[in-house]
Structure formats: structure tokens, C-alpha cells
Amino acid sequence: MLLLIVCMFVKSGVLSDECHNEESFIGAYDKKTLNDVLIPSTKKNFLGAGSFGEVKRVLLDKIVENEVAVKTITIGTKISQINGIKEEIRYLMKMGDKGVTPYFYDCLESNGKVYIIQEMLYKSLLTSEMIEKFQSFQPSKKIFKFLQIAMKLRDFHREGDTHQDLKPDNIMSIDDDMTDFRIVDLGMATDMLGELKGGTPLFNSPDKINRSKKPSCYQDVFAFAMTMVVMEMSNYEFFDRVTDDCFRKFSEECKDQYVEKLEELSKKKYENNLSLLFSYL
């Protein structure tokens, strides 16, 4: 059971509405230091790092027996960055129970950093291991995997929200067999009435690049289509040949090129099942 439910915490800090402070967090476990609660794993504990911070594998005392992931983010002074952290936590709390995002266990703020404790996942779709695994699947199984991801995205949209930065890096498998997936890195996510966020250029729809509309499901679906192309082409080589000129133009022709590519994949390999897949979105 989450500490958030079981205990009453004294809160303070920039993220006082979202996170516990270190003193109350440690006290709830009857421990003396933070390291006594977040216990380093005996396995390789460093999982990755990026602009969002770093992620480590730990054992979390008294909450779960399994390993969990802790995302550590240094809290800056920019309002946009602080709001991004708040959105990350909000969407984990909102969608983690549904299996759309990683399951959220807890978070705390300490010494200018926030520790987000969440479900331990395996690897993102963009890693060489996951791409090779995907390429080993028969076409029907590839469609099933895409469908699993599409269902996650559909559930996200049914809540009235958009991810705004969907790409292979931000879709993670829960294990090495790719039996299920989670959508991660939610700092840019927003509801349909919110502010249009930047995202990653190669996966941005033309209307988003031109900043001509509000956040919409279409922008995520376009990014999902680009994700399928990347996974099918095995890497970014297709983008190297096509996207440089395409995205400089920022035109509808750009979208048309990708639609044609997806239609080609549909006819040659998937027997038009891509149309069925998109119907779920």
C-alpha cells in the first residue's frame, strides 16, 4: 500500500503538493538515512541518463519486494522545468494503475532533487536488443505488438490527454520478450485544452511544427506512425535519406511521404492490418 495513503506527511519544498520531504519519508520506514530506504540493487543499478535526469535500479524497503526504478531529477529554477516534473508525477499517478505508464509508488524531494519511485521496466524500443527482437517476429506478431502500444495510447487519449513526445525512446518493454509496454517520460504531456509542447522534430506532425493547432490526438497518432516506420526500418536510416529535406519544408508533403510509406508496408507485409490498427486510436 502506498505511503501516500497510509501515512500523513509533513510537506515542504517546491514540489510540496506532489512529494514528501526526506525527514517524513525516512521516518515512515523507521530508518535513519535515505540510503537505508532506497537500497542499491546487487545487479547493475545504473539504468540510464538524459535531460530528464538519471534512473537507477533499487530495492524499496517495505513497499514492494521486487526491484523498482528511481528517476532522480535536479530541480532547476525555470517554471517550465518544475511544471514538467509536476506533470510527470501527475500522469504517473493517474495512468500507472491502468498499465499505460509505469506504476507509481512514491516520490520525495530532498536537497534540490526529486526522486520518483516507479515500476522497474526493461528497455526502450530504440535499443539494438529490442529492435533485433522486433525484427525476429513474424508480420502478424509485429502487428500485435503495435496494437498493444496503440491500446495504451488510446487509453491515454480517452482520459483527454496527449503525450506530445511519443517516439521509440519513450516506449518501454516490461521484459525481454516484449510481452507488454509502458509509455514513459511524461513531462510534456498535457490535456487537449493545454499548451502545445515541443516534442522531437522527427516525430512531430506538420501542424505541430507550424504550431497551428492546440494539442490533439492526431499529433500523437502521427508520432506513433513514425515510430512504426522506425521499428520496421530497424533504425534511423530511413530518416537520414528522407527527413532532412522533408522537415525543412515543414509541409503537408512531409506527412504524405510517410503515409505512402505506411501504406506500402501495409500492402506488402501486413495485408492492410495497419488500417485496423489505426482504427483503435
Side-chain angles (χ1 to χ4, degrees):
M1 183 66 66
L2 295 181
L3 289 178
L4 196 62
I5 300 173
V6 176
C7 302
M8 295 296 291
F9 288 90
V10 177
K11 298 184 175 183
S12 63
V14 176
L15 300 170
S16 60
D17 290 336
E18 291 80 16
C19 298
H20 312 134
N21 64 33
E22 183 173 332
E23 181 180 359
S24 60
F25 182 84
I26 296 171
Y29 295 100
D30 195 25
K31 301 291 184 179
K32 293 183 178 180
T33 69
L34 188 59
N35 288 334
D36 293 329
V37 182
L38 302 178
I39 306 167
S41 171
T42 56
K43 300 178 183 179
K44 178 184 177 182
N45 62 356
F46 180 77
L47 299 175
S51 58
F52 56 82
E54 65 178 27
V55 181
K56 290 185 177 180
R57 183 199 315 259
V58 303
L59 298 174
L60 184 60
D61 182 65
K62 289 186 181 179
I63 289 187
V64 290
E65 295 180 357
N66 297 327
E67 293 172 316
V68 297
V70 175
K71 177 184 285 191
T72 304
I73 306 173
T74 300
I75 303 172
T77 57
K78 292 184 177 180
I79 297 298
S80 59
Q81 192 251 8
I82 294 173
N83 287 340
I85 297 174
K86 291 183 177 183
E87 289 300 288
E88 175 95 9
I89 296 168
R90 183 170 77 88
Y91 280 107
L92 285 172
M93 294 178 70
K94 181 178 181 180
M95 305 299 291
D97 286 341
K98 299 178 175 65
V100 176
T101 66
Y103 185 83
F104 174 81
Y105 290 106
D106 219 324
C107 70
L108 72 134
E109 179 184 353
S110 176
N111 297 322
K113 294 183 178 182
V114 59
Y115 301 83
I116 303 174
I117 305 163
Q118 58 191 28
E119 177 184 8
M120 179 70 198
L121 301 174
Y122 189 65
K123 292 183 178 179
S124 80
L125 295 192
L126 197 60
T127 60
S128 58
E129 180 181 342
M130 290 291 96
I131 289 177
E132 289 174 9
K133 183 76 174 180
F134 180 82
Q135 289 298 317
S136 72
F137 295 152
Q138 294 296 316
S140 60
K141 190 169 184 178
K142 289 181 179 180
I143 279 291
F144 178 71
K145 296 304 173 185
F146 283 143
L147 180 58
Q148 285 181 286
I149 299 168
M151 299 288 271
K152 306 287 183 184
L153 189 58
R154 181 194 66 179
D155 290 344
F156 205 86
H157 292 161
R158 283 182 171 178
E159 294 290 328
D161 300 307
T162 66
H163 185 276
Q164 293 292 299
D165 195 24
L166 195 70
K167 54 186 176 180
D169 317 51
N170 290 340
I171 302 169
M172 294 193 69
S173 174
I174 67 169
D175 55 30
D176 58 353
D177 287 328
M178 301 176 76
T179 57
D180 202 2
F181 304 92
R182 302 285 186 266
I183 297 174
V184 302
D185 286 350
L186 306 159
M188 290 190 181
T190 184
D191 60 49
M192 304 293 183
L193 300 176
E195 179 184 353
L196 192 66
K197 305 293 180 66
T200 301
L202 291 180
F203 298 88
N204 282 349
S205 60
D207 71 305
K208 185 174 180 181
I209 293 172
N210 289 320
R211 304 190 70 80
S212 59
K213 294 184 178 180
K214 285 283 188 179
S216 70
C217 297
Y218 162 73
Q219 294 149 5
D220 281 350
V221 172
F222 184 91
F224 178 56
M226 300 306 97
T227 295
M228 290 195 293
V229 172
V230 169
M231 295 303 294
E232 180 57 32
M233 300 302 293
S234 301
N235 51 41
Y236 279 105
E237 289 181 3
F238 173 69
F239 291 114
D240 291 338
R241 296 195 303 271
V242 177
T243 58
D244 283 347
D245 181 60
C246 175
F247 277 94
R248 286 196 187 100
K249 294 178 181 177
F250 296 159
S251 68
E252 286 295 326
E253 294 177 8
C254 172
K255 183 183 75 170
D256 292 340
Q257 289 184 51
Y258 288 112
V259 170
E260 289 173 6
K261 187 65 183 178
L262 288 169
E263 288 176 348
E264 177 186 342
L265 292 173
S266 175
K267 293 175 181 176
K268 289 186 176 180
K269 296 189 177 183
Y270 296 142
E271 299 178 353
N272 294 318
N273 282 330
L274 282 175
S275 297
L276 175 64
L277 189 155
F278 277 105
S279 72
Y280 283 89
L281 296 170

